[in-house]
Amino acid sequence: MISTQLLCLFAAGALIIIGLFAAIFIDNIIKKVVGLSFIEEGVNLFIICLTYKEGGIVPILAPGMNVNWFAQNAAYPLPQALVLTSIVIGASTLAVILALTMFLYKKYGSLSAHEILNNKYDMGDEE
């Protein structure tokens, strides 16, 4: 039977690969942004997968708990804190990127990266 950690690593890899495909090969800017979000969440999942501990407990020392047993069985809290911070920063960055996408749509009337780049260079030739 496949372990939980290995399954989690496969899911993280799939998210990263799907996100890379969307960010590189799809022309729509919204879909590119979603692809970048997939990459970010795949990396977060990968970090959590690496620190997964089979049978691990929440890293909160309760009163009366044996310290040695706790140290051997508790999950490592630093990656969890880093991923939580990454999620908050990613949500803010995603909001800014979507605002910029709205600005591009208002300016160029399209969400096609190809059309926007062609319009940008066409406008630059006239000046």
Side-chain angles (χ1 to χ4, degrees):
M1 175 138 178
I2 191 166
S3 73
T4 305
Q5 187 174 22
L6 189 59
L7 187 63
C8 183
L9 288 170
F10 282 140
L15 281 173
I16 293 170
I17 290 170
I18 291 169
L20 280 172
F21 176 81
I24 294 170
F25 296 113
I26 296 180
D27 191 43
N28 189 309
I29 292 178
I30 296 288
K31 292 178 182 177
K32 285 183 180 288
V33 170
V34 170
L36 292 174
S37 181
F38 271 37
I39 294 170
E40 176 195 358
E41 297 307 323
V43 169
N44 287 340
L45 183 59
F46 179 73
I47 292 170
I48 292 297
C49 291
L50 288 180
T51 61
Y52 174 75
K53 185 181 246 184
E54 190 74 38
I57 62 170
V58 177
I60 299 174
L61 183 61
M65 192 178 284
N66 184 355
V67 176
N68 290 329
W69 180 85
F70 174 78
Q72 290 175 352
N73 294 311
Y76 191 50
L78 180 64
Q80 296 172 11
L82 291 174
V83 167
L84 184 60
T85 305
S86 173
I87 290 169
V88 171
I89 292 170
S92 322
T93 306
L94 182 63
V96 170
I97 291 173
L98 289 174
L100 289 172
T101 303
M102 288 173 48
F103 173 76
L104 286 173
Y105 181 73
K106 286 180 183 177
K107 183 171 181 179
Y108 295 106
S110 174
L111 288 175
S112 170
H114 184 70
E115 288 181 25
I116 290 173
L117 288 174
N118 282 342
N119 285 339
K120 177 186 168 202
Y121 289 126
D122 289 344
M123 289 180 185
D125 290 340
E126 294 173 3
E127 295 177 319

